[in-house]
Amino acid sequence: MARRCVPLLLCLLLALTGCQDARGASSQLPALNLGLDAGESHALRLTVQLPQIGQSGSGGSGGGSDGSGGSTGGSNVDPELLQKGYVLTQTEGETVEECLTLLSAALPREVTFLHLRGLYISESYAKSDHLTATLSSLIQSRKLRPGAAVYLCLGRAEDVLKALSPSLGTRLSKSLDSRLEELQSKSLIPDAYLTQVYEHMLGQGADAVAVLAAVNNKSGMEAALPGGLQPADRLAGELPYNSVNPVSFFGAAVFRGVKPTLYLSGYETQLMNLCMGRFEQGDLELAGDAGEETLALKQTRAPRLTVDMSEQEPFISLSLQVEASSYAGAFSGDPALLRARAQAQLEEDILNLLLRLQQAGCDPMDLEGAARMHTLTFAQWREMEWDTRYPLARFSVQVDLTLLGNAASIS
């Protein structure tokens, strides 16, 4: 008889648990995006993007609006913050926990960050002394989605969130995911996921990188760029836009410790991804006497990186293999000359990027990790004095480029 009761008890427990989970899910609001800005009267201004709550759920447009654009309970929601199916709600406080407490008091349901798509950090807040503590609190106590993308906003994070618009026929969440995947496939932005960025800020591995984001300046594309510049030689916000979405995600912010130190254009981000073995595809513009030639690039093998620490000046050698093909399917002029020019330009551009990172004291490619391979103990590594020797390092860049044409390849 006791054995027969066990299945019944299990079924009862499962049924009760299922009902409890269902009630828990229905009492939560999944945050789509989160913005961090310096507050007007407090250290932090928190902007949370949520699904718009109906009249029956919130008694209004969500989050404590008093109907006149004012604020109640420390939260501010006005008609300007209402978007297609979403609402932005804001609070200010000295800490993120204080902001979230005010947010919980103003909203009819608990906010969950388990499905967060993006964490948007303004440039000013990233340069403050509060970012590390805020990220620690969000990750440890609020369980932010580890795969949320991290964006550094050139301007205010709340302005970027206000300007976000979905593509036609899609929800905003799906639209953001699609845009991110497209830009990553073109290597115009770095891989910048929350847990990874946070760990790198704390000194674990390479320097942290984030995706640059900005509201575009609405300018038109120039007829021609100055000599030597690539079409992707811009930062987010400098791109023209002719679509419904005025926000651009373009380029990378490189952190030195917990502070953003260097901003890379879309083309420099492509080169960085190439050096890190994360390059999928991209374009290279070659200017010549017969006009410009656009080559489509593809990385064919993981980069080979070595760091020689035998001398006082470290010698860093980087070897890359790429394929290049013309969009027109046929090369103008001598293919061998075209290959040599493309190879030389890539080597020069990558070398300039490495020197720029070195001068800023940044190391997103984890050159330090490659140098540490020469030591067996932490004491030996400390004796290497990498921090004082890295600014003295010399670089060698070798690109092995295979030119794909209609006939045989030139390599």
Side-chain angles (χ1 to χ4, degrees), residues 117-368:
R117 289 298 194 279
L119 176 64
Y120 293 76
I121 308 169
S122 70
E123 185 178 17
S124 60
Y125 192 75
K127 291 182 177 180
S128 71
D129 296 326
H130 307 291
L131 180 59
T132 307
T134 296
L135 291 181
S136 299
S137 180
L138 287 171
I139 291 173
Q140 295 172 10
S141 64
R142 293 293 170 167
K143 298 180 180 179
L144 268 69
R145 176 172 167 255
V150 179
Y151 302 94
L152 183 82
C153 301
L154 299 178
R156 297 192 305 176
E158 66 174 279
D159 290 338
V160 173
L161 291 179
K162 288 176 184 178
L164 285 178
S165 299
S167 300
L168 295 177
T170 63
R171 293 183 303 171
L172 182 57
S173 56
K174 185 65 175 178
S175 177
L176 291 174
D177 289 345
S178 299
R179 289 184 67 188
L180 201 63
E181 291 173 5
E182 179 185 4
L183 291 168
Q184 286 175 330
S185 71
K186 297 178 181 178
S187 308
L188 291 167
I189 60 174
D191 292 338
Y193 301 112
L194 179 60
T195 303
Q196 173 189 7
V197 170
Y198 177 66
E199 290 175 350
H200 289 176
M201 283 183 178
L202 297 182
Q204 301 178 27
D207 285 343
V209 292
V211 179
L212 277 182
V215 180
N216 283 353
N217 59 13
K218 302 184 180 181
S219 65
M221 182 73 76
E222 295 90 343
L225 291 171
L229 291 181
Q230 301 285 327
D233 251 325
R234 303 168 186 267
L235 300 176
E238 297 176 349
L239 296 167
Y241 84 92
N242 299 311
S243 66
V244 296
N245 202 326
V247 177
S248 65
F249 307 119
F250 203 75
V254 183
F255 286 72
R256 185 177 181 182
V258 297
K259 301 291 179 67
T261 304
L262 196 64
Y263 299 154
L264 304 183
S265 68
Y267 178 57
E268 289 176 318
T269 303
Q270 287 180 320
L271 297 178
M272 181 182 69
N273 284 327
L274 186 64
C275 295
M276 299 169 71
R278 298 175 182 172
F279 184 89
E280 292 192 36
Q281 61 178 332
D283 295 341
L284 177 69
E285 292 284 345
L286 286 175
D289 297 335
E292 291 187 346
E293 186 85 35
T294 302
L295 300 181
L297 302 180
K298 181 181 179 181
Q299 192 162 27
T300 56
R301 185 176 296 180
R304 186 170 60 193
L305 174 67
T306 60
V307 180
D308 185 355
M309 299 288 289
S310 59
E311 303 292 336
Q312 180 61 25
E313 297 179 349
F315 184 73
I316 300 172
S317 177
L318 182 64
S319 179
L320 303 164
Q321 287 192 356
V322 295
E323 289 180 350
S325 58
S326 172
Y327 280 109
F331 302 113
S332 59
D334 184 358
L337 179 60
L338 182 63
R339 171 185 174 270
R341 286 173 47 221
Q343 192 167 276
Q345 180 168 321
L346 279 173
E347 290 175 348
E348 180 182 1
D349 292 346
I350 292 172
L351 179 59
N352 289 335
L353 173 63
L354 292 171
L355 292 173
R356 188 166 177 238
L357 291 167
Q358 181 191 39
Q359 291 169 2
C362 296
D363 183 15
M365 303 172 192
D366 200 17
L367 303 177
E368 180 180 345

Side-chain angles (χ1 to χ4, degrees), residues 1-79:
M1 182 67 180
R3 291 181 180 178
R4 292 181 182 177
C5 292
V6 172
L8 293 175
L9 288 173
L10 287 175
C11 292
L12 181 60
L13 287 172
L14 289 173
L16 291 174
T17 304
C19 293
Q20 187 174 3
D21 289 344
R23 286 196 300 271
S26 65
S27 64
Q28 292 181 336
L29 284 172
L32 176 64
N33 291 306
L34 185 64
L36 307 178
D37 287 291
E40 296 179 1
S41 56
H42 297 81
L44 173 63
R45 184 179 179 90
L46 190 75
T47 304
V48 186
Q49 190 170 42
L50 300 163
Q52 189 172 341
I53 313 170
Q55 293 283 347
S56 60
S58 67
S61 58
S65 173
D66 60 6
S68 61
S71 61
T72 58
S75 179
N76 177 35
V77 177
D78 59 47

